[in-house]
Amino acid sequence: MLRKVAKLLYFDNWNVLIIVFTEMRDKLRKWREDNHRNSEQIVDVGEELINEHASKLGDDIWIIYEQVMIAALDCSRDDLAWTCLQELKRQFPGSQRVKRLAGMRLEALEKYEDASKQYDSILQDDPTNTAARKRKISILKAQGKSAEAIRELNEYLEQFVGDQEAWHELSELYINEHDYGKAAFCLEELMMTNPHNHLYCEQYAEVKYTQGGLENLELSRKYFAQALKLNNRNMRALFGLYMSASHIAACPKVNATVKKANVKYAAWATNQINRAYQLAGRGTKENKCSVKAVEEMLESMQITMS
Amino acid sequence: MGEVELSCLAYVKMYLHGCLFPRCSVNGLLLSSSPAGGAVCVTDCVPLLHSHLPLAPITQLGLTQVDVWCAQTQQRIVGYYQANACVSDNSPTPCALKIADKIAEQCNNAVLLMIDGGKMSPDYRVPPIVMYERKDTRWTLKDKHTIMLRQWEETREIANQLLDSGDHSLLVDFDSHLDDITRDWTNQKLNAKIAELASPANAFTAALPPGGGTVSIVKFTWISLTARGRQQTVKSMSINHMLLELHRMKRQWLRDPASTNIEIQCLTDMTLR
């Protein structure tokens, strides 16, 4: 849409052209700040910005080159990535940051040995360079060596305890290895430093649910409830609360009071789910099938519970 | 064991699911609308997750909801598919085996399908899938000759077309549905689009009048020079699609006559009576 507007008004109105160009630049900035990985869009907007409006960008152009290069690697556009890299090399010769980008390009071409050597040379000059260490771990992940990646990441976290991104990555690696206890530990670290993040609560609850057993189910129900308190529109937490409460209530080991309480929680959750789906069902004919499926599912699960 | 037939709809949706989330592992369920017994005919699929595949709650939720929907629409769950994030490794993960086992409890001839990411290129000669079946208690590779995918070339073309036109973003998996419950994980809209693109192959055989008669197949190539000097080639196979393309060509030509070259080649020319 933006591109078409730019073409039509190119020779008509210089002022409008400026507005369109600033919109593109602001979009890229927003994506950069929010750390979005919408690489196809970044390549589209960024390529045009670089090719046609380079002179107006001023010093912003270097960070845009970096952003577009990484997006280009994601989309297999080695031509564009190479151009960006050359510009950056010319402007910042000997920079560690540019060296890391060169390493990433080698990774994208699957030349993992060469990429590793590149990162090693960065680390020789600067052993505290976290970016290079994390890229080395990514190489291990890409090669499917998850045990080694986990080991390296653990070592990294001993030195850099506050790195949220690393803790989250470690929790994902543990989940894929089905080591739920350790994944829960990583998520606990994240919840401690980010008590208002409903996503961490909900993920922790999911891990606890997967571990199974009455204690873990109760914990999972509590954390699903916590996630809902932080964000009452988190559907996963709502469904999770419903399922964990139902399972506890159906467990033969619980006493009558616990069972009664959990039946109440499950009923509340059912109510909320039905309401949410009714609200969603209004106005769109599309999702009638999915709404019907949920209604029946909730009915059928209630029957098995009582 | 038995034969397995994979329909165009099921394959295209699986393929698009993998393409929509190229950096994640994705999985989903294979459905069949034909009755039990005999060959397994996979007629549809439901994409499930693209994150945290091994975690239980959402998987259980998805399985239950799809079960209920199948009961409402006279379908059965007959299999499970997964595409791993790591392209070089397409062996079934423990969670894949677990879910497949669960499905096999309900359905005797259940299949486990792994999508081979390394072979997912637009012009690959064979479908990039590896199928497993259950012998005794283990999942073993299925004999390739018992797997059928009718009209592979057309199916591949449809998948490529949807990818090129960006329509693969219409696909909604269960994960996306939970992020926004107004989106429909049964994918009725996308199903309709795929059915429309797939119809010519059937339409022509249906249009053949009894006692002989012939069909006109026109494949035309439209070469358009877009603003960036890139060439775009469109091959069309259905009458509907052709009309749509003609309309698009007209709009493009009105916008910028100099940049549009239209070439129409008629292959296989037989007249319809």
Side-chain angles (χ1 to χ4, degrees):
Chain A
M1 187 57 214
L2 223 44
R3 253 179 288 135
K4 291 183 198 157
V5 173
K7 273 213 78 61
L8 286 171
L9 303 176
Y10 196 87
F11 292 115
D12 286 5
N13 193 330
W14 185 249
N15 290 328
V16 182
L17 180 64
I18 297 285
I19 292 172
V20 163
F21 146 77
T22 46
E23 260 188 70
M24 289 202 274
R25 190 193 55 194
D26 292 341
K27 265 203 172 155
L28 277 182
R29 188 189 308 140
K30 182 165 188 295
W31 291 331
R32 202 164 52 232
E33 285 166 10
D34 292 342
N35 213 0
H36 274 181
R37 199 173 167 176
N38 51 338
S39 302
E40 284 97 353
Q41 283 182 299
I42 294 177
V43 163
D44 257 350
V45 176
E47 193 176 13
E48 180 147 343
L49 211 58
I50 293 173
N51 289 339
E52 298 183 26
H53 304 279
S55 49
K56 298 190 213 71
L57 285 167
D59 273 335
D60 270 352
I61 194 165
W62 308 115
I63 201 158
I64 288 180
Y65 270 132
E66 184 184 29
Q67 183 183 12
V68 173
M69 179 185 165
I70 296 179
L73 290 176
D74 224 3
C75 298
S76 287
R77 285 284 310 273
D78 192 44
D79 54 326
L80 181 59
W82 182 247
T83 324
C84 296
L85 186 61
Q86 293 306 95
E87 293 294 319
L88 286 166
K89 270 191 179 162
R90 207 177 306 154
Q91 181 71 8
F92 306 103
S95 148
Q96 305 285 36
R97 197 160 154 176
V98 177
K99 262 188 169 177
R100 164 188 161 241
L101 289 174
M104 281 176 84
R105 182 180 162 267
L106 290 168
E107 276 187 71
L109 297 170
E110 295 195 314
K111 298 186 177 153
Y112 295 122
E113 298 285 328
D114 297 334
S116 213
K117 286 204 196 108
Q118 184 87 333
Y119 298 132
D120 282 333
S121 83
I122 299 179
L123 286 169
Q124 251 182 359
D125 293 334
D126 177 14
T128 64
N129 189 314
T130 55
R133 279 186 78 165
K134 289 201 262 194
R135 286 318 312 167
K136 286 193 74 177
I137 297 172
S138 306
I139 291 180
L140 290 170
K141 193 177 167 194
Q143 293 175 310
K145 301 178 178 162
S146 21
E148 287 179 43
I150 288 177
R151 200 180 50 224
E152 294 287 315
L153 195 44
N154 268 309
E155 274 179 35
Y156 171 85
L157 279 166
E158 273 170 31
Q159 282 192 302
F160 301 98
V161 185
D163 192 332
Q164 313 280 308
E165 187 185 58
W167 280 112
H168 199 242
E169 186 61 43
L170 187 58
S171 79
E172 301 258 343
L173 286 172
Y174 276 131
I175 289 174
N176 284 330
E177 294 298 303
H178 304 276
D179 198 340
Y180 301 118
K182 301 213 180 97
F185 178 76
C186 301
L187 287 165
E188 280 162 13
E189 285 284 336
L190 286 166
M191 287 198 296
M192 265 201 313
T193 44
N194 301 281
H196 298 293
N197 188 322
H198 64 105
L199 294 170
Y200 293 149
C201 278
E202 178 242 299
Q203 271 181 33
Y204 181 74
E206 282 190 41
V207 170
K208 283 289 159 197
Y209 184 103
T210 313
Q211 279 183 294
L214 189 57
E215 259 183 59
N216 286 326
L217 273 178
E218 297 212 304
L219 257 179
S220 94
R221 190 205 66 225
K222 290 187 185 140
Y223 278 94
F224 277 130
Q226 176 72 2
L228 275 174
K229 218 166 74 164
L230 295 169
N231 177 355
N232 61 0
R233 289 193 295 176
N234 186 330
M235 284 311 291
R236 288 192 181 83
L238 199 48
F239 273 116
L241 176 63
Y242 172 73
M243 287 167 67
S244 47
S246 313
H247 277 274
I248 297 173
C251 188
K253 285 193 276 181
V254 296
N255 62 38
T257 21
V258 172
K259 180 171 174 148
K260 207 170 162 202
N262 278 286
V263 167
K264 225 175 38 165
Y265 302 144
W268 178 85
T270 314
N271 233 329
Q272 298 295 100
I273 294 173
N274 272 323
R275 246 213 269 159
Y277 271 90
Q278 275 171 8
L279 229 91
R282 266 186 233 146
T284 48
K285 251 198 293 178
E286 281 196 340
N287 60 343
K288 264 209 327 233
C289 310
S290 15
V291 172
K292 266 183 85 189
V294 169
E295 283 175 5
E296 255 207 48
M297 176 197 85
L298 290 172
E299 273 183 42
S300 71
M301 280 179 88
Q302 276 202 323
I303 296 173
T304 53
M305 219 174 57
S306 53
Chain B
M1 262 175 133
E3 284 195 341
V4 175
E5 190 187 324
L6 198 57
S7 75
C8 170
L9 182 67
Y11 175 79
V12 171
K13 287 211 293 202
M14 276 195 310
Y15 184 84
L16 293 182
H17 192 205
C19 295
L20 192 54
F21 302 105
R23 302 134 195 158
C24 316
S25 296
V26 296
N27 69 2
L29 298 171
L30 302 171
L31 311 176
S32 170
S33 54
S34 51
V40 175
C41 192
V42 178
T43 50
D44 197 358
C45 75
V46 173
L48 279 182
L49 306 175
H50 58 263
S51 64
H52 301 143
L53 271 60
L55 291 182
I58 308 300
T59 309
Q60 278 183 9
L61 185 67
L63 277 167
T64 319
Q65 279 209 24
V66 175
D67 226 354
V68 167
W69 183 62
C70 280
Q72 290 173 347
T73 52
Q74 279 90 42
Q75 294 180 81
R76 331 168 272 136
I77 303 180
V78 295
Y80 169 85
Y81 75 84
Q82 183 169 309
N84 290 333
C86 192
V87 165
S88 52
D89 171 25
N90 64 353
S91 52
T93 56
C95 86
L97 295 170
K98 233 205 258 175
I99 300 178
D101 278 338
K102 207 149 189 261
I103 296 175
E105 280 170 23
Q106 304 284 331
C107 166
N108 272 337
N109 299 337
V111 290
L112 167 61
L113 204 154
M114 296 301 294
I115 299 181
D116 191 346
K119 303 204 173 100
M120 271 173 80
S121 70
D123 53 359
Y124 205 69
R125 271 196 230 113
V126 295
I129 58 181
V130 182
M131 233 191 242
Y132 296 79
E133 60 182 359
R134 210 180 144 105
K135 276 208 172 95
D136 307 319
T137 48
R138 297 182 72 236
W139 290 90
T140 49
L141 270 175
K142 207 170 159 61
D143 181 10
K144 275 189 238 173
H145 301 294
T146 55
I147 307 170
M148 278 205 301
L149 215 172
R150 287 187 216 269
Q151 294 154 347
W152 160 240
E153 309 252 329
E154 277 85 357
T155 306
R156 194 186 58 197
E157 279 303 311
I158 292 173
N160 289 338
Q161 244 170 43
L162 288 168
L163 210 55
D164 285 337
S165 60
D167 282 332
H168 64 300
S169 53
L170 285 176
L171 185 89
V172 180
D173 67 357
F174 199 68
D175 244 344
S176 314
H177 168 78
L178 288 175
D179 288 333
D180 175 3
I181 53 175
T182 56
R183 301 185 74 192
D184 170 30
W185 53 260
T186 60
N187 287 297
Q188 300 300 321
K189 249 194 183 172
L190 188 63
N191 285 357
K193 257 210 157 98
I194 297 174
E196 189 199 303
L197 289 175
S199 58
N202 304 327
F204 285 130
T205 44
L208 264 176
T214 44
V215 193
S216 182
I217 307 171
V218 175
K219 249 190 187 158
F220 72 91
T221 316
W222 158 34
I223 302 177
S224 136
L225 294 170
T226 62
R228 303 216 195 95
R230 270 191 282 181
Q231 284 199 333
Q232 194 179 27
T233 313
V234 178
K235 286 190 226 158
S236 173
M237 284 183 279
S238 87
I239 303 282
N240 281 340
H241 198 227
M242 197 168 85
L243 289 174
L244 187 65
E245 289 300 328
L246 278 169
H247 182 66
R248 265 198 220 144
M249 284 197 309
K250 179 176 157 194
R251 275 200 351 242
Q252 173 82 359
W253 187 81
L254 285 173
R255 237 185 282 152
D256 192 358
S259 78
T260 319
N261 276 334
I262 302 170
E263 250 183 53
I264 302 186
Q265 295 169 312
C266 253
L267 314 174
T268 327
D269 189 26
M270 300 175 277
T271 33
L272 174 79
R273 264 187 244 133

